[in-house]
Amino acid sequence: MSHSTYNTLWSEAHEEISCLLDEELPEEPLRPERDRVVFFQRLATFYVRYVQIFRQLEEAYDQSVHPQKRRAIRQVLDSVIGRVLELKNEMVEKEFSEYHYMDDIIQDLKLTPEDLEIPVPRYFIRERNKVLQDRERMFAAILNQMDVTEKPPVMRMLTLERAIKIIQVAERARQGRLRAKFMREIHRDSERQRRAEEQEAVSTDQAAVCIQKVWRGFMQRKITKRLREEEMIFLGMAMDPKLSYPSQTELDALNNGANRRTRQDDHEDDYQKSTGSVIYQLREVEGPEMKETMKDQIRQWFIECRDATGSFPDYPEEEDGGSALIFAEKTPEELAEELAAKEEEDASKKPKGKEETKEKGKKERVDDEEEEPGLKMLPSAYLEDLERGHKTFSEVWKNRNETKNFSQRHELELIKEEKRKEIEVEIRKQVDELMRQELANWKLAVDKEKSGKVKGAAKKKKASKSGKKKKKDKDLTADRTIESLFEELVEQELLKKADNVKIKDYLGDYSYLGTTLRQSDIEPMPSLSDVRQVVALYAVLPLGSQAVHEKAPLVKTMLLVGPSGVGKKMLVHAICQETGANLFDLSPLNVAGKYPGKSGLQMMLHVVFKVAKLMQPSVIWIGEAEKMFYKKVPKEEKELDPKRLKKDLPKILKSIKGEDCVLIVGTTSDPHSADLKSLCKFYNKIILIPRPDYASRYVMWKELIKKNGGEVTSDLDLSSLAKISDGYTQGHMVQVVRSILTERRIQQFPKRPLTASEFVSPLARIDPVFQEEEEALKNWYAKTPLGKKRIKAASGKEGDEESSKTGSKGGKKKGKK
């Protein structure tokens, strides 16, 4: 596509942002909403609209080649991602469920379920490509040292009984083959003899009629089959085989996308070179003049303040903005008053008397009583950034004439404007240091006593600031390099390579009955599409972008709960692959016997979290997470000490801050054996993964058969296959497809197409996940904090509590803030 296509996409996204900002930040604040359903509809509508903007901006950012436009898009894109995460968090708090069903909203907005899919921004991997390549080389070098790639085959000695059994099996098989060959020859002879007798009895005309009948029947069946297939394709009930392969147009579009990404890199290199030369030019040419102008302005301010107030002013501190405060549009008197008021606030923070606190409490209660009860949207950390980004687009890019910049290279004037401000700030800091000294000299010359007081106050300030410093945690590996720690973790198998799977490989269809079931007071089981979206929102998007992770609702831990084989481990590997994160394995069975003793445990956790933070993003996986919180440790597992991390891991979890892109993901198929309170306290997000529903099974059978070399024809009844495989997980389906689609069977496709009956026998040999097991997991989830809230909300109690809380903030219990 052309440059104008992506410019239009960008422009349309900003038009929608403008509408959303008007709705979210009206001139008069919105009144609280009493009806929870209406309030949730408003939230969900905002969420869907922001997701559409997210998809548009992601596409524009991936394909735009103008380096300055890409920076403007990226700023808004990160803010939109953050706003989507904020709205998701608020929807969970208001509906008390991790899964939401918005069929009516997407119908009103004329969208499809695919439009709700959360895209994974491609820049997550592209912009970290060099780092990921270096890490791959480190892994390869360490694994080569360990001789993992060329392990010698282990020779196992056979017992006498085992050897005899193998010989017996081989001999019986040989005898069976000989017997089968002998019987085949007998059968052929008898068939040959029967045909010879029939040929003698049939005349030439009868033989011709027989051949005609067979041929005409074959041709008619072929024509009927073709007509039926054409009719099904016309009705949209079958896919045209020609469309199953990418057309030339699609291939051209893919090549065009790759070429545009190459051009992005070239234009970025040119932009960086120009930026360097512009900075040098501004420093050398305009820098000295800027410095002298600032000095003159500051000296003039000194004199004006002296004339207006009778004394020289205090120079603004660097934390308050330094001389930037002086250049604001204020008179010397106003500036002196502002500085004096600020000093008074900092110096005189005395405890207030009882009467003052009582009066303040009364005021707060009156204000709260005046507040209407109801639901309000939570304050956002991203709306200001969105406003700023939208303003930049409107002022700089919206009406910009680019007729002379067809190749979409950088614009020098914009670089000068941007860098001039940066250099001005840099020079101002230098000027501030010089002028502070000059002001001190002036004060000494004019008023020695005052300068002494100022010095004393400055010393006190410095002393108070130095007293606020906190002690840093002791670094147990201060003398070691990060490379040596990385190597140690790989050798101990605590740091592993993630499997090459993507989040889109977690197949599953949209739940089309979710809203209908909830309206009938039936809590639906989420579909695999819902699971994929929740994992993308809680794990992939925050880990992929540092800017998003710092401000977004912080998710430190996440627990994936579901029957064995539903793809929990696959999702962990997909998170790592989509974000380029390191994968640390702290599963109880994996850490057993490693770093023994209490000091060893502390060292292991210190090394893991140090490497995880320094080489972020990182995912710390805890498989069989229930073992860490066992109610009672089984006898056979006591030696492994599965509860070893229970005390120390929650303590280290507190050290993870917003700037640390580290996520702990636990997986379990048996949460009943764990202590529920401890488990829920450690994992702040619990995601229930169900068995695949009919729609997801249909999609999975189709894609798995194609992926393993099979062909989906009209002879294969996928609908029946999806119906009879109810209760089987994705793992079972993969196992069955691989057992059937052998090389020999694939070669037979032209003569014998694949049928649904071939899958029945292998499925019958596998135990499915029964309804009782899924119900047990559902009942367990109902006991979690969010599950309890959902049950209360369904019974109508939670809504009453919420409204009473909002309405009675001024009460005795709610008066504190």
Side-chain angles (χ1 to χ4, degrees), residues 113-130:
E114 286 74 23
D115 294 322
L116 281 183
E117 197 69 36
I118 302 295
V120 177
R122 282 158 278 193
Y123 73 81
F124 284 0
I125 295 297
R126 278 198 68 225
E127 294 184 3
R128 300 190 67 247
N129 206 22
K130 193 177 178 184

Side-chain angles (χ1 to χ4, degrees), residues 713-732:
T713 61
S714 56
D715 297 295
L716 179 59
D717 189 354
L718 283 175
S719 182
S720 299
L721 187 57
K723 188 70 178 171
I724 64 168
S725 56
D726 186 17
Y728 290 95
T729 64
Q730 299 94 308
H732 296 149

Side-chain angles (χ1 to χ4, degrees), residues 450-513:
K450 198 171 183 180
S451 70
K453 287 177 185 176
V454 169
K455 280 184 181 178
K459 281 179 185 176
K460 280 180 185 177
K461 273 189 182 179
K462 284 181 184 178
S464 63
K465 282 179 188 176
S466 63
K468 286 179 184 178
K469 287 183 181 177
K470 292 181 180 178
K471 290 182 180 178
K472 290 184 178 179
D473 294 331
K474 190 179 179 183
D475 189 354
L476 302 175
T477 53
D479 56 335
R480 293 184 60 184
T481 61
I482 191 69
E483 288 79 10
S484 67
L485 296 174
F486 185 92
E487 185 177 348
E488 182 183 322
L489 290 174
V490 173
E491 287 171 355
Q492 292 291 334
E493 295 185 352
L494 295 174
L495 181 57
K496 297 180 176 179
K497 282 182 77 173
D499 296 340
N500 189 19
V501 289
K502 302 287 184 183
I503 200 84
K504 66 180 180 183
D505 297 332
Y506 191 76
L507 302 171
D509 203 2
Y510 183 76
S511 177
Y512 296 94
L513 291 174

